[in-house]
Amino acid sequence: MNFNTNFNDIAENYLFAEVADRVAAYTKAHPDKKILKLGIGDVTLPLAPEVIKALHSAVDDMSNAATFKGYGPYEGYDFLRKNIADYYKLNGVDLELSEIFVSDGAKSDLGNILDIFSKDNKVLVPDPVYPVYVDTNLMAGRKVAFMDATAENGFLPMPDKKTDADIIYLCSPNNPTGAAYTKAQLKEWVDYANKRGAVILYDAAYECFISDDNLARSIFQIEGAKTCAIEFCSFSKTAGFTGTRCGYTVIPHGLNKDGLFANKLWFRRQATKFNGVPYIVQKGAAAVFTEQGRKEILQNIAYYKRNAKIIAECMDRLNIWYTGGTNSPYIWLKCPNGMKSWEFFDFLLNEAQVVGTPGAGFGKNGEGFFRLTAFGSEEVTKQAVERIEKLLKN
Ligand code: MLT
């Protein structure tokens, strides 16, 4: 047998696994030190009470032969898909239930979706961006081209005469920079993709952090997107499901070529390789869309946004350049004193026991930058900010 040698082309460790390893090594060497983690975007607030209520009730369903559930539909239960469709309607988007696929999270789908595309597609990825897009393509033996996301273009690359891509990844609000496309900007991408016959893989995992109405919450708010886009979303950041695992992918029936339909191919792929998300989890996810559930998760999002403000105000006081934090839970900052990303990571860990994510892990344009997450507890965020300020003030 031979292993997949494409693994030789990717970094030995996934970015957040590398961060975790370095933190574990530090903890082992300094067991007395209290580490404050603002690295991986993992939530800290518990699930909303309305979600917990639904989970409990779903557990009870499983204890009774009349309501017990075995294998569920590959694409998710209708009760959840209907709630998702109703949510899209609030943003002016009409979806058929058959266009919605429930999954165990956006990360899995973003990687797995490549199964439906041929090897020879030209892939275009913003730099910096969530590393999953690049790693999954390299694992599959595809070459990846990059488009620069820099302070000059507001970290929002646009198509131009030289753009030459069949599969285009967009992440908005962006992880890690927090930059988000306006509807007018997305229209340019949709027009490009339709003209070219390309597909946009649109990661909307941070949609719930958008507070500006000019920004798109879904690519399907843009006319023409239903013939050129697939959207990935998640309950992780919206409703604290990072450990509970649930997300969804929207694949419109209009996305097709040469008699092949993306929606059908994905259904075929999922039915072959995936047995669906647990009924109990889907019941919990459905509760996110009830009036009370919505109220509760919005309170949690407001809590994280306050944390983002606490971090941003610290950067203001320190005169450190940063962006993000308004329509996103991440603050993207320039490492002080010309430090490189991993250098600043080590400095912050060693001198203040604060963990962040090195910008270089998101791409070459991330070098010299650093990401702090607002998903910590308020207490940890305030302590971390205090330590950072003390360390960098002089
Ligand atoms: C992040 O910190 O970028 C995310 O939490 C990682 C993920 O969603 O996989």
Side-chain angles (χ1 to χ4, degrees):
M1 69 66 170
N2 293 308
F3 285 118
N4 177 355
T5 53
N6 296 323
F7 278 79
N8 292 330
D9 300 332
I10 59 175
E12 188 173 337
N13 234 344
Y14 177 57
L15 171 62
F16 295 104
E18 177 66 32
V19 169
D21 281 0
R22 291 198 190 200
V23 174
Y26 182 86
T27 310
K28 202 169 163 206
H30 306 88
D32 52 315
K33 300 272 193 205
K34 184 181 173 207
I35 296 183
L36 303 176
K37 294 184 182 168
L38 299 184
I40 190 165
D42 196 4
V43 293
T44 44
L45 290 172
L47 294 173
E50 193 69 3
V51 171
I52 293 293
K53 217 163 71 188
L55 290 170
H56 279 301
S57 140
V59 169
D60 288 342
D61 289 348
M62 298 300 266
S63 72
N64 182 335
T67 48
F68 169 79
K69 299 281 187 290
Y71 289 125
Y74 302 110
E75 68 279 33
Y77 284 99
D78 278 0
F79 63 76
L80 176 54
R81 296 198 299 158
K82 163 105 181 47
N83 285 6
I84 295 168
D86 288 347
Y87 178 65
Y88 271 78
K89 231 188 186 84
L90 295 177
N91 293 321
V93 177
D94 285 320
L95 295 178
E96 290 177 35
L97 293 201
S98 55
E99 294 177 312
I100 300 167
F101 295 84
V102 175
S103 74
D104 68 345
K107 183 186 194 175
S108 321
D109 282 5
L110 279 158
N112 295 334
I113 197 73
L114 294 175
D115 278 3
I116 72 167
F117 295 106
S118 79
K119 265 249 169 71
D120 52 2
N121 285 296
K122 288 187 178 165
V123 178
L124 186 62
V125 176
D127 176 342
V129 88
Y130 186 40
V132 167
Y133 316 152
V134 176
D135 285 358
T136 51
N137 273 289
L138 295 183
M139 278 178 199
R142 280 194 194 81
K143 289 199 168 34
V144 173
F146 294 96
M147 46 183 167
D148 291 328
T150 59
E152 285 68 47
N153 61 16
F155 298 101
L156 296 168
M158 298 298 297
D160 60 27
K161 281 194 199 100
K162 286 185 289 191
T163 306
D164 176 26
D166 306 308
I167 298 179
I168 301 150
Y169 286 82
L170 298 180
C171 177
S172 179
N174 180 270
N175 178 11
T177 65
Y181 283 107
T182 63
K183 292 174 189 162
Q185 287 172 316
L186 273 190
K187 177 78 176 122
E188 286 188 40
W189 274 114
V190 165
D191 289 347
Y192 170 85
N194 275 324
K195 197 161 162 215
R196 159 92 177 210
V199 65
I200 297 171
L201 302 183
Y202 190 79
D203 183 351
Y206 297 94
E207 161 274 322
C208 61
F209 281 85
I210 291 177
S211 39
D212 174 349
D213 278 344
N214 290 318
L215 301 175
R217 289 180 172 275
S218 160
I219 195 161
F220 298 118
Q221 289 178 298
I222 313 303
E223 203 192 324
K226 283 190 176 175
T227 48
C228 68
I230 295 178
E231 180 158 297
F232 304 84
C233 205
S234 162
F235 293 94
S236 286
K237 323 290 165 166
T238 311
F241 273 55
T242 51
T244 309
R245 308 306 311 150
C246 197
Y248 53 89
T249 292
V250 177
I251 310 189
H253 293 300
L255 181 61
N256 62 80
K257 188 174 178 189
D258 299 335
L260 291 174
F261 286 74
N263 184 293
K264 280 193 178 163
L265 299 182
W266 183 243
F267 184 86
R268 183 69 177 84
R269 187 267 171 216
Q270 290 295 79
T272 309
K273 296 193 182 181
F274 183 61
N275 261 335
V277 176
Y279 166 76
I280 297 166
V281 171
Q282 293 194 55
K283 274 289 186 182
V288 168
F289 298 100
T290 61
E291 201 183 326
Q292 181 59 20
R294 184 91 196 129
K295 206 167 115 195
E296 291 169 359
I297 63 152
L298 288 178
Q299 279 166 4
N300 291 356
I301 290 165
Y303 172 96
Y304 294 130
K305 284 196 163 193
R306 283 197 297 277
N307 284 347
K309 192 154 180 270
I310 290 169
I311 301 170
E313 284 170 355
C314 167
M315 296 303 131
D316 285 336
R317 287 193 296 275
L318 290 169
N319 237 335
I320 289 178
W321 185 96
Y322 69 93
T323 183
T326 343
N327 295 295
S328 132
Y330 299 126
I331 300 287
W332 179 247
L333 58 108
K334 193 131 188 62
C335 299
N337 308 320
M339 272 189 259
K340 291 192 171 248
S341 301
W342 281 105
E343 193 187 348
F344 186 55
F345 173 89
D346 289 333
F347 178 68
L348 218 49
L349 179 59
N350 286 306
E351 304 302 323
Q353 292 76 50
V354 173
V355 179
T357 308
F362 297 96
K364 78 169 178 14
N365 289 323
E367 182 57 278
F369 289 87
F370 201 72
R371 194 194 79 175
L372 291 171
T373 170
F375 284 126
S377 69
E378 184 183 338
E379 195 194 346
V380 163
T381 306
K382 283 185 171 159
Q383 284 175 14
V385 155
E386 224 170 83
R387 290 189 194 176
I388 294 173
E389 203 159 351
K390 197 164 154 214
L391 179 66
L392 299 177
K393 212 162 48 190
N394 301 316

